[in-house]
Amino acid sequence: MEYTARELMVVCAARQIRDYERVFVGMRLPLLAFALARRAHAPHCAGLFESGTLRDAPSAELLYTMSDAPNITDSLWATSTLNVIGLMASGEIDLGFIGGAEIDHYGNLNTTLIGDWEHPTVRLPGSGGGADIASLARRLAIIMPHERHRLRERVDFVTSPGYGYPDAKGPAGSSWRARQGLPRGGPSALITTLAVFTFDPATGEALLQSYHPGSSIAEVQANTGWPLRLAPDCAATVPPTAAELDIIRASDPHGVWTR
Amino acid sequence: MEYTARELMVVCAARQIRDYERVFVGMRLPLLAFALARRAHAPHCAGLFESGTLRDAPSAELLYTMSDAPNITDSLWATSTLNVIGLMASGEIDLGFIGGAEIDHYGNLNTTLIGDWEHPTVRLPGSGGGADIASLARRLAIIMPHERHRLRERVDFVTSPGYGYPDAKGPAGSSWRARQGLPRGGPSALITTLAVFTFDPATGEALLQSYHPGSSIAEVQANTGWPLRLAPDCAATVPPTAAELDIIRASDPHGVWTR
Amino acid sequence: MQKHGNENCMGKLMTMSEAIARYVSDGAAVAIGLALEALIPHAAAHEMIRQRRQNLTLIGPISDILFDQLIGAGCVAKVQAAWVGNVSEGLGHCYRRASERALPRSLITEAHSNFTIGLALFAAAMGSPYIPTRSLLGSDIPRLNPTLRLESSPLDDSPVLLVPAIQPDVAILHVQRCDEEGNAHLWGNTGVAQEAMLAARDVILITEEIVAHQVIASDPNRVPGPFFKVRAVVHEPGGAHPAAVQGYYNRDHAFYHAYHTATRTPEGYQTWLDEWVLGVPDRTAYLAKLGEERWQSLRVTEHRYAAAVDYGY
Amino acid sequence: MQKHGNENCMGKLMTMSEAIARYVSDGAAVAIGLALEALIPHAAAHEMIRQRRQNLTLIGPISDILFDQLIGAGCVAKVQAAWVGNVSEGLGHCYRRASERALPRSLITEAHSNFTIGLALFAAAMGSPYIPTRSLLGSDIPRLNPTLRLESSPLDDSPVLLVPAIQPDVAILHVQRCDEEGNAHLWGNTGVAQEAMLAARDVILITEEIVAHQVIASDPNRVPGPFFKVRAVVHEPGGAHPAAVQGYYNRDHAFYHAYHTATRTPEGYQTWLDEWVLGVPDRTAYLAKLGEERWQSLRVTEHRYAAAVDYGY
């Protein structure tokens, strides 16, 4: 059965969502993943948006931004940005999705600048709510195109903290987050156009969990800026089912985000 | 013309309100004072309530508490307690009214306890929003029955800071408030059943500004727990006008608060 | 691990007796009476008394006789409050007896102002350890309440009062209407109700009406907080009496006066408690005892409807 | 001494041109674009460009091309923001040119997250010097933004990030409706709009409709803040285009795409600016240029009205 890389990424993202979870939903692919999870294996999950919205069902129309009018219509809470991010700060949010321009071996994300801090070669838009989600959600899932210049040994700027870096006080990983004073969390999955990575909280390192059908460990390595470490059960990514693809295509009939 | 001591107190309180001012209104007499000021000399003043309400006109019915339903009906803002007290904290409120069980020579108010802190002889209800109003409003007006045991040289407990006390670092008054870190404010008037006091911000001392018709400096002194200091222009309190009394009696037709 | 909605698969709709039994345990920190003099969950407090809860910590700004009743019944070890008494009458006799003479038991008061209790709940709602304020500087309140900390601002060394976060075990809110999942509409004065709902670990909603999900979803700006924090929904019309519920009924001022008069002595309080709390099994019996005529006299007669709002696209 | 309503005896209702001329001066700190992608006061930004404002500080969470336009026009010296770009398209070309090559002028970015910019405005609204948070610990953002302070909590020595209060000189809010005194109704997503209104010294309201005082007073829970902070009321239907206004019109996604494509080069930006901003005297002319057919295609067709609410007594 035919499907696009982005459709597979939506499926992989949806698999991160467990039933009854509260999910901080971003735009584009994660939003479709929320719709898929709701209609497939997680019918009781709830979606939150930093614009100030809580939904128990995807909006009636495809969204270009989280503040689009259809996303407020029939929502279950329309409130302030502080109130919804505050829920995450107080530990109420299970999973958050974010993207980024660059990610490194330890799941640290950069959406601020490329190059020198004082004289960047590229100025990126910035954190938005990304750094908050990376700091405060119980689990973090990252979605990115898989390109060697994006998956780097070390990012130029840590906008959204992952598992940090080894330092004089100890290793990267959950212990680094604790040293910084972060209350919880850390990346649990990196979903790309070629593969899915999980992370080892003890060392903070990304582990290749699965490579997408048609790709290979060698191709993933060729497009990744750090020497791969494989998860013990590393294997090919389970492809989408026909039912999953039907739901995705119903949510994005013109393929705005998935083609 | 006949009037009660409380009716005169309402008039004295109303005279504290200038046109266009934002006033933190308490219950009972200050609420009637707000109604009087709106209808008399301050038609553009606005009233705020720590329950979370802004009004440009008194409620249609007499209130027993600020959260009574008629006080929300036709109000201009119904919000959180934090938002309205926050306005005062950020310097937006000109005048606040409070009462108290005890007040002293320097305008410090006690609504917490009488006697020993650990074993009080009387436990009073506490601050409510009083300590916030005394801390944060630009001007403070205090309304109390005039009894010698209530107007004391020094209160047992400072719930709502007035002008403090002289200490090693300097005198009472505005300078004491600045030493504490209070952003502004301090008592500008104490209105009792017998008299009106103003305050000297340089020393923090209460000054007898006027004694009510029928009373006298001697009677005020006999009922005041500190040696009186007179304002240069100390005189008899200007009595209510017939128009003022008509407005008060229209607001409290059964004399619930004024008899 | 946090609680999930799936604990509530069986449904959140339950009786007051079930809700208090399940979600208010002995020793719990309970935020209640959060919209100042309105929307006070008196029916919930009466059920706590009937179930003989012990060693509660009560959290709220100005509890208008609800705290006084629970204190008089011996349910309370500590209050974190700005004011405890009877707003239209003055002092709370039970609060006085407990504070002055440890009757029926000793009571700790952690004194706040309305602003600091709101900031403490907001801090918890934001996951912040504390919020600094300039209020109460120079007041003795921070000297009586050791949780409030006088410090210097790291920004300019000026004095600040640090108000630590307060996270209630449970917040009990009275609302006008909600659905069976705990999606609610709250209007009128809200006091610190939203801050408490967002700060608390568990939430119990007491509601005048149960409405369809779609009614709530038609106006998401009226919702105080997320359904997934709500553990129990109790349909209890009249559950706030003698407090007011905007659009439903007015405050019963005479009831507060009668309570003030009746509770001057411990014996008088016990008689009042026997009559209005221990002597009635639930709120339905309470309202029957109050009498149809009196109840009807409190109902809203001057209806004022909000202008239309379109959430369309 | 604070400003009073009496400065506005002459009335707050004025044209956009008057409002910007009076209340947005060169060098002002302006909070604008506060409800994230909705209710963005684009018409106000265009008037600031036409009046050639200089050295502005722009404050807001994610400005969705409004900041990019003002930066490209050379009006801006500093941004205090979580995100600057084009939400549905990606990067903001003018922001890149200013940050990377000081074109048309240099730009300082004080980087925030959506949470910290909200906390900074809330702190000002509460009169608090700062609010501590655990967000952004371990991020490089505090190292790029010197106003954010890493400290230890005096309560337990744990790391905290102190977010200092931000008080805008003026906050510009787009609302659905308000009266001539500045009593407004705002609904849908509010982002940080209320916090900014309460934090700012002055407030300008841009409104889709002017309504009777009584319409606003019928629903006081919908009011974002007090009328007495409002200095100017501008009746500007369509003033948020291409952003959405809940219940009035939807987001014009194609317009954002066209802006993204057109502004890749400085010359392209200038052409776009001449066509859509400098070449039109006001929003009426702008909407005429947009065309009736396109404008109508954005209007709300699926109406969804809020359930009735009674504020009676």
Side-chain angles (χ1 to χ4, degrees):
Chain A
M1 185 168 27
E2 291 297 309
Y3 54 86
T4 69
R6 285 176 171 180
E7 285 173 330
L8 178 58
M9 291 167 81
V10 170
V11 170
C12 292
R15 291 170 183 160
Q16 297 293 319
I17 302 173
R18 305 170 192 157
D19 202 9
Y20 291 101
E21 289 198 321
R22 306 108 183 226
V23 183
F24 231 71
V25 182
M27 279 295 101
R28 308 185 183 201
L29 304 192
L31 188 62
L32 296 171
F34 168 62
L36 173 55
R38 277 285 309 187
R39 292 172 178 142
H41 60 279
H44 305 92
C45 68
L48 294 101
F49 301 82
E50 61 207 277
S51 47
T53 304
L54 168 66
R55 295 193 69 89
D56 68 342
S59 59
E61 300 205 346
L62 184 76
L63 303 179
Y64 283 68
T65 81
M66 60 182 72
S67 303
D68 288 0
N71 203 35
I72 286 77
T73 308
D74 295 325
S75 65
L76 299 185
W77 194 28
T79 186
S80 69
T81 292
L82 283 184
N83 282 344
V84 289
I85 301 183
L87 277 175
M88 192 159 53
S90 55
E92 291 281 332
I93 305 303
D94 300 293
L95 175 65
F97 285 100
I98 62 178
E102 290 190 335
I103 188 168
D104 67 25
H105 190 181
Y106 297 105
N108 303 299
L109 273 151
N110 176 16
T111 54
T112 300
L113 57 85
I114 308 289
D116 175 71
W117 286 22
E118 296 312 308
H119 305 90
T121 54
V122 181
R123 179 75 205 202
L124 300 163
S127 160
D132 301 312
I133 297 168
S135 299
L136 303 171
R138 290 175 172 272
R139 302 197 316 278
L140 181 69
I142 302 141
I143 299 189
M144 281 175 58
H146 201 131
E147 298 164 11
R148 192 180 176 87
H149 72 277
R150 293 180 180 275
L151 278 68
R152 301 177 55 187
E153 183 62 36
R154 194 179 180 111
V155 292
D156 291 338
F157 185 96
V158 177
T159 308
S160 299
Y163 289 116
Y165 301 105
D167 61 28
K169 298 202 191 71
S174 297
S175 62
W176 177 88
R177 291 180 67 90
R179 293 201 296 280
Q180 305 307 309
L182 290 167
R184 66 187 74 82
S188 58
L190 165 61
I191 298 159
T192 76
T193 41
L194 291 179
V196 175
F197 293 83
T198 52
F199 290 83
D200 176 355
T203 65
E205 288 183 289
L207 310 176
L208 180 61
Q209 187 65 52
S210 72
Y211 44 89
H212 296 339
S215 184
S216 65
I217 293 176
E219 186 190 11
V220 172
Q221 178 65 83
N223 290 278
T224 303
W226 64 78
L228 293 180
R229 219 182 108 195
L230 307 188
D233 53 346
C234 177
T237 305
V238 177
T241 65
E244 288 171 328
L245 290 172
D246 289 346
I247 295 169
I248 293 169
R249 290 164 187 175
S251 302
D252 184 14
H254 303 102
V256 172
W257 303 127
T258 49
R259 300 273 152 76
Chain B
M1 185 169 27
E2 291 295 310
Y3 54 86
T4 67
R6 286 176 169 180
E7 286 173 329
L8 178 57
M9 292 168 81
V10 170
V11 170
C12 292
R15 291 170 183 161
Q16 298 293 319
I17 302 173
R18 305 169 192 156
D19 202 9
Y20 291 102
E21 288 199 320
R22 306 104 184 232
V23 182
F24 231 72
V25 182
M27 280 294 103
R28 310 186 184 199
L29 303 191
L31 188 63
L32 296 171
F34 169 61
L36 173 55
R38 278 284 310 186
R39 293 175 176 138
H41 60 278
H44 304 92
C45 68
L48 293 101
F49 301 82
E50 61 206 275
S51 47
T53 304
L54 168 66
R55 295 192 69 89
D56 68 343
S59 59
E61 300 205 345
L62 184 76
L63 303 179
Y64 283 68
T65 80
M66 60 182 72
S67 302
D68 287 2
N71 203 36
I72 286 78
T73 308
D74 296 327
S75 65
L76 298 185
W77 194 27
T79 186
S80 68
T81 292
L82 283 183
N83 282 343
V84 290
I85 301 183
L87 279 175
M88 192 158 55
S90 55
E92 291 282 332
I93 305 304
D94 299 293
L95 175 65
F97 285 99
I98 61 177
E102 289 189 335
I103 189 168
D104 66 25
H105 190 180
Y106 297 106
N108 303 299
L109 273 152
N110 176 16
T111 55
T112 300
L113 57 84
I114 308 290
D116 176 71
W117 286 22
E118 296 311 309
H119 305 90
T121 53
V122 182
R123 179 75 206 203
L124 300 163
S127 160
D132 301 313
I133 296 168
S135 298
L136 303 171
R138 290 175 171 273
R139 302 197 317 277
L140 181 69
I142 302 142
I143 299 190
M144 281 175 57
H146 201 131
E147 298 164 13
R148 191 179 177 88
H149 72 276
R150 292 179 181 275
L151 278 69
R152 301 176 56 188
E153 183 62 36
R154 193 178 181 112
V155 292
D156 290 340
F157 186 96
V158 177
T159 308
S160 300
Y163 288 116
Y165 302 104
D167 60 30
K169 299 203 189 70
S174 297
S175 61
W176 177 87
R177 291 179 68 91
R179 292 201 296 280
Q180 304 307 309
L182 290 167
R184 67 188 72 84
S188 58
L190 165 61
I191 298 159
T192 75
T193 40
L194 292 179
V196 176
F197 294 82
T198 52
F199 290 83
D200 175 356
T203 66
E205 287 181 288
L207 309 176
L208 180 62
Q209 186 65 53
S210 73
Y211 44 90
H212 296 339
S215 184
S216 66
I217 294 176
E219 185 189 13
V220 172
Q221 179 64 83
N223 289 278
T224 303
W226 63 78
L228 292 180
R229 218 181 109 196
L230 306 190
D233 54 347
C234 178
T237 305
V238 177
T241 66
E244 287 172 327
L245 290 173
D246 289 346
I247 295 168
I248 294 169
R249 291 166 187 174
S251 302
D252 184 14
H254 305 101
V256 172
W257 303 126
T258 49
R259 299 272 153 76
Chain C
M1 183 51 193
Q2 67 187 304
K3 294 191 177 190
H4 272 320
N6 56 357
E7 293 187 329
N8 298 303
C9 284
M10 299 303 99
K12 299 178 181 180
L13 192 60
M14 61 187 77
T15 64
M16 183 68 81
S17 162
E18 290 170 325
I20 298 303
R22 282 198 208 174
Y23 297 110
V24 182
S25 54
D26 286 349
V30 183
I32 183 167
L34 301 158
L36 280 71
E37 299 93 345
L39 295 160
I40 301 176
H42 281 290
H46 289 183
E47 184 58 27
M48 286 187 237
I49 292 170
R50 282 191 289 266
Q51 292 190 23
R52 307 263 180 227
R53 282 293 167 282
Q54 299 295 313
N55 299 312
L56 298 176
T57 292
L58 299 183
I59 302 160
I62 57 138
S63 53
D64 207 2
I65 84 173
L66 181 142
F67 282 18
D68 196 69
Q69 288 172 47
L70 283 159
I71 291 164
C75 303
V76 187
K78 186 199 287 189
V79 295
Q80 297 175 304
W83 198 92
V84 182
N86 182 328
V87 172
S88 49
E89 301 293 323
L91 294 164
H93 300 299
C94 295
Y95 180 57
R96 281 198 60 182
R97 284 189 287 267
S99 301
E100 298 164 17
R101 294 184 281 139
L103 292 176
R105 56 156 297 165
S106 63
L107 177 71
I108 295 167
T109 296
E110 287 180 356
H112 275 270
S113 70
N114 284 343
F115 197 39
T116 63
I117 196 74
L119 290 174
L121 291 166
F122 185 80
M126 293 295 112
S128 294
Y130 57 88
I131 292 182
T133 181
R134 310 261 188 228
S135 195
L136 271 53
L137 296 172
S139 167
D140 284 334
I141 292 172
R143 297 167 62 194
L144 198 64
N145 178 349
T147 71
L148 300 172
R149 291 277 297 269
L150 286 165
E151 297 283 342
S152 296
S153 166
L155 305 184
D156 63 4
D157 291 322
S158 63
V160 287
L161 183 73
L162 304 189
V163 182
I166 292 178
Q167 180 180 37
D169 295 318
V170 58
I172 305 179
L173 271 65
H174 194 99
V175 299
Q176 280 94 344
R177 61 193 180 199
C178 73
D179 68 17
E180 297 190 359
E181 287 77 40
N183 297 289
H185 278 174
L186 173 66
W187 65 90
N189 281 130
T190 54
V192 300
Q194 179 173 62
E195 292 80 1
M197 179 172 182
L198 298 179
R201 190 190 67 222
D202 298 338
V203 175
I204 298 173
L205 295 182
I206 318 298
T207 186
E208 288 295 319
E209 292 187 78
I210 297 287
V211 296
H213 184 78
Q214 202 43 47
V215 171
I216 304 302
S218 77
D219 197 353
N221 286 128
R222 293 231 193 261
V223 176
F227 69 92
F228 55 70
K229 296 200 79 164
V230 177
R231 311 284 171 235
V233 172
V234 179
H235 183 208
E236 197 77 282
H241 177 274
V245 175
Q246 197 77 36
Y248 289 76
Y249 44 89
N250 292 303
R251 187 173 186 268
D252 188 347
H253 309 303
F255 197 93
Y256 289 84
H257 178 70
Y259 176 82
H260 186 68
T261 307
T263 59
R264 284 207 165 86
T265 65
E267 302 68 28
Y269 169 76
Q270 195 56 51
T271 305
W272 184 93
L273 194 68
D274 291 339
E275 180 178 1
W276 287 101
V277 180
L278 301 177
V280 293
D282 57 25
R283 181 73 13 169
T284 307
Y286 170 102
L287 292 174
K289 174 175 168 49
L290 191 69
E292 186 61 17
E293 189 183 343
R294 182 171 183 176
W295 180 235
Q296 287 308 323
S297 73
L298 298 169
R299 301 308 294 254
V300 166
T301 53
E302 296 289 326
H303 298 281
R304 303 293 180 81
Y305 293 96
V309 156
D310 185 358
Y311 279 94
Y313 58 89
Chain D
M1 184 51 194
Q2 67 187 303
K3 296 193 177 189
H4 272 318
N6 55 358
E7 293 187 330
N8 297 305
C9 285
M10 300 303 98
K12 300 177 181 181
L13 193 59
M14 61 187 77
T15 65
M16 183 69 81
S17 160
E18 291 171 322
I20 299 302
R22 281 197 209 175
Y23 298 109
V24 182
S25 54
D26 286 349
V30 184
I32 183 168
L34 302 158
L36 281 73
E37 300 93 345
L39 295 160
I40 301 176
H42 281 291
H46 288 182
E47 184 58 27
M48 286 186 238
I49 293 171
R50 281 191 291 264
Q51 292 188 23
R52 306 266 181 224
R53 282 292 166 284
Q54 299 295 312
N55 299 313
L56 298 177
T57 292
L58 299 183
I59 302 159
I62 57 137
S63 52
D64 206 4
I65 83 172
L66 182 142
F67 282 18
D68 196 68
Q69 289 173 46
L70 284 159
I71 290 164
C75 304
V76 186
K78 186 198 286 187
V79 294
Q80 296 175 303
W83 198 92
V84 181
N86 182 327
V87 173
S88 50
E89 300 294 323
L91 294 164
H93 300 300
C94 295
Y95 181 57
R96 281 199 60 183
R97 284 189 287 268
S99 301
E100 297 164 18
R101 293 184 282 139
L103 291 176
R105 57 156 295 165
S106 63
L107 177 70
I108 295 167
T109 297
E110 285 180 358
H112 276 270
S113 69
N114 284 343
F115 197 39
T116 63
I117 196 74
L119 290 174
L121 291 166
F122 185 80
M126 292 296 112
S128 294
Y130 57 90
I131 292 181
T133 181
R134 309 260 188 228
S135 196
L136 272 51
L137 296 173
S139 167
D140 285 334
I141 291 172
R143 296 168 60 194
L144 198 64
N145 178 350
T147 71
L148 301 172
R149 292 277 297 269
L150 286 165
E151 298 283 343
S152 296
S153 166
L155 305 185
D156 62 5
D157 290 325
S158 63
V160 288
L161 183 73
L162 304 189
V163 182
I166 292 179
Q167 180 179 38
D169 295 318
V170 58
I172 305 179
L173 271 65
H174 194 99
V175 299
Q176 280 95 344
R177 61 192 180 199
C178 73
D179 68 18
E180 297 190 358
E181 287 77 42
N183 297 290
H185 278 174
L186 173 66
W187 65 90
N189 280 130
T190 55
V192 300
Q194 179 173 61
E195 291 81 359
M197 179 172 183
L198 298 179
R201 190 192 64 222
D202 298 337
V203 175
I204 298 173
L205 295 181
I206 318 298
T207 186
E208 288 295 320
E209 293 187 78
I210 298 286
V211 296
H213 184 78
Q214 203 44 46
V215 171
I216 305 302
S218 77
D219 197 353
N221 286 127
R222 293 233 193 259
V223 176
F227 69 92
F228 55 71
K229 297 200 79 165
V230 177
R231 311 283 172 237
V233 172
V234 179
H235 183 207
E236 196 77 284
H241 176 274
V245 175
Q246 197 77 36
Y248 288 75
Y249 44 90
N250 292 302
R251 188 172 185 267
D252 188 347
H253 309 304
F255 197 93
Y256 288 85
H257 178 70
Y259 177 83
H260 186 68
T261 307
T263 59
R264 284 208 166 87
T265 64
E267 301 68 28
Y269 169 75
Q270 194 57 51
T271 305
W272 184 93
L273 195 68
D274 291 338
E275 180 178 3
W276 287 101
V277 181
L278 301 177
V280 293
D282 56 27
R283 181 77 2 173
T284 308
Y286 170 103
L287 291 175
K289 174 175 168 51
L290 191 69
E292 185 62 15
E293 189 182 343
R294 182 172 184 175
W295 180 236
Q296 287 308 322
S297 74
L298 298 169
R299 303 308 293 256
V300 167
T301 53
E302 296 289 325
H303 298 281
R304 305 292 180 82
Y305 294 95
V309 156
D310 185 358
Y311 280 94
Y313 57 90

